[in-house]
């Protein structure tokens, strides 16, 4: 049995951090359930109590942990500091022992200490062709530019926001007169393909996050990022 075959028989344990609707989480749940992606989602952490992503995880029987950034009780309405969130999230991740942590629509900025102490490598899904348009409002910003292409990226999380090694990108052509909302919807369809595809490469050992291919050791692999034209 080859190394890749033996790796793929043991599912990759994945923890997912979310803040919103969780459509990307749903894609991962569906791919796990259908057997098309060799992963086991060991748990989902949300910083938003009402996030529909939490409902999606619960419906799939996946463990959830909510560390809301808005407190209740006598301190109602006070914002939970990022350090407090990170202390809770860190303890939870240590319990779940994931092989990979996926930020899928997670909207808080994590500290360098949390990232370096995390029990597994961490990747993020970002709605732009990094290094262009780090941060928020990427669709509106690209429409104000002369760019003719847009898309999304999966990258390694580092202390600097949206600046870690880009692993994979999906591209589309911007349409004339396209609104930010329409563009966002089209990019999200790309996200739903590029995220599971990248995780598949990691699960199969093609992409080793601790030993990423470079020009020196790439063998037959092309240099990162892998770019897929997924426009339709
Ligand atoms: C995605 O568009 C992602 O690019 C951004 O947040 C959104 C999450 O969507 N960071 P969902 O919660 O997976 O539906």
């Amino acid at each position: 049995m080859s190394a890749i075959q033996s790796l793929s028989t043991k599912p990759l344990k994945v923890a997912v951090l979310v803040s919103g609707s969780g459509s990307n989480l749903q894609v991962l749940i569906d791919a796990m359930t259908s057997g098309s992606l060799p992963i086991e989602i060991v748990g989902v952490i949300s910083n938003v109590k009402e996030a529909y992503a939490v409902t999606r995880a619960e419906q799939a029987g996946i463990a959830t942990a909510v560390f809301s950034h808005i407190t209740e009780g006598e301190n109602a309405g006070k914002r939970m500091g990022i350090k407090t969130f990170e202390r809770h999230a860190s303890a939870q991740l240590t319990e779940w022992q994931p092989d990979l942590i996926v930020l899928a629509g997670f909207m808080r900025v994590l500290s360098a200490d949390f990232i370096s102490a995390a029990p597994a490598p961490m990747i993020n899904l970002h709605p732009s062709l990094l290094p262009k348009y780090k941060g928020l409002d990427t669709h509106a910003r690209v429409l104000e530019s002369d760019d003719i292409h847009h898309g999304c990226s999966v990258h390694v999380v580092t202390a600097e926001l949206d600046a870690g090694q880009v692993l994979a990108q999906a591209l589309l052509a911007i349409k004339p007169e396209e609104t930010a909302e329409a563009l966002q919807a089209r990019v999200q369809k790309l996200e739903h393909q590029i995220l599971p595809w990248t995780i598949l490469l990691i699960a199969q050992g093609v992409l080793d996050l601790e030993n990423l291919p470079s020009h020196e050791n790439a063998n037959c692999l092309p240099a990162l990022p892998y770019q897929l034209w997924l426009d339709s």
Side-chain angles (χ1 to χ4, degrees):
M1 186 185 285
S2 76
I4 287 181
Q5 280 172 324
S6 66
L7 267 174
S8 62
T9 54
K10 194 168 159 243
L12 189 79
K13 294 200 284 172
V14 176
V16 187
L17 270 62
V18 296
S19 304
S21 100
S23 65
N24 284 285
L25 171 67
Q26 189 66 56
V27 167
L28 298 183
I29 292 171
D30 293 345
M32 171 180 73
T33 309
S34 71
S36 61
L37 192 56
I39 62 169
E40 177 195 355
I41 303 177
V42 290
V44 170
I45 294 176
S46 174
N47 69 313
V48 178
K49 194 174 150 198
E50 307 76 19
Y52 188 57
V54 176
T55 307
R56 294 182 194 267
E58 286 170 352
Q59 285 173 347
I62 295 168
T64 59
V66 177
F67 308 121
S68 171
H69 63 291
I70 305 291
T71 54
E72 293 174 352
E74 49 184 65
N75 289 326
K78 277 206 176 158
R79 211 173 151 75
M80 180 194 276
I82 190 67
K83 288 286 171 201
T84 311
F85 171 86
E86 288 179 344
R87 205 173 55 248
H88 291 303
S90 208
Q92 188 60 78
L93 289 170
T94 302
E95 190 186 316
W96 286 336
Q97 284 296 310
D99 303 311
L100 179 71
I101 300 165
V102 177
L103 310 188
F106 180 70
M107 300 307 285
R108 287 202 83 167
V109 178
L110 297 166
S111 74
D113 287 349
F114 178 82
I115 294 164
S116 62
M122 207 179 293
I123 60 172
N124 180 46
L125 175 63
H126 183 77
S128 80
L129 296 175
L130 292 170
K132 288 189 163 190
Y133 309 111
K134 296 172 182 172
L136 300 173
D137 299 325
T138 59
H139 311 297
R141 284 156 63 207
V142 76
L143 288 177
E144 285 166 11
S145 76
D146 294 330
D147 293 3
I148 56 171
H149 296 140
H150 188 42
C152 51
S153 305
V154 180
H155 68 94
V156 175
V157 176
T158 58
E160 196 183 335
L161 186 67
D162 299 331
Q165 171 70 61
V166 180
L167 304 171
Q169 295 181 316
L171 289 77
L172 53 68
I174 297 171
K175 293 179 179 169
E177 311 299 326
E178 189 161 27
T179 64
E181 291 70 28
L183 186 54
Q184 177 178 7
R186 290 206 298 135
V187 169
Q188 202 153 40
K189 284 189 189 162
L190 268 51
E191 293 175 2
H192 295 165
Q193 297 174 75
I194 201 78
L195 183 61
W197 187 78
T198 309
I199 294 173
L200 180 62
L201 294 186
I202 296 168
Q204 292 185 329
V206 177
L207 266 182
D208 175 358
L209 296 183
E210 264 131 42
N211 187 24
L212 287 172
S214 64
H215 288 295
E216 291 75 43
N217 70 0
N219 298 324
C220 57
L221 293 172
L224 295 173
Y226 302 142
Q227 291 192 315
L228 301 188
W229 186 259
L230 293 177
D231 206 352
S232 58

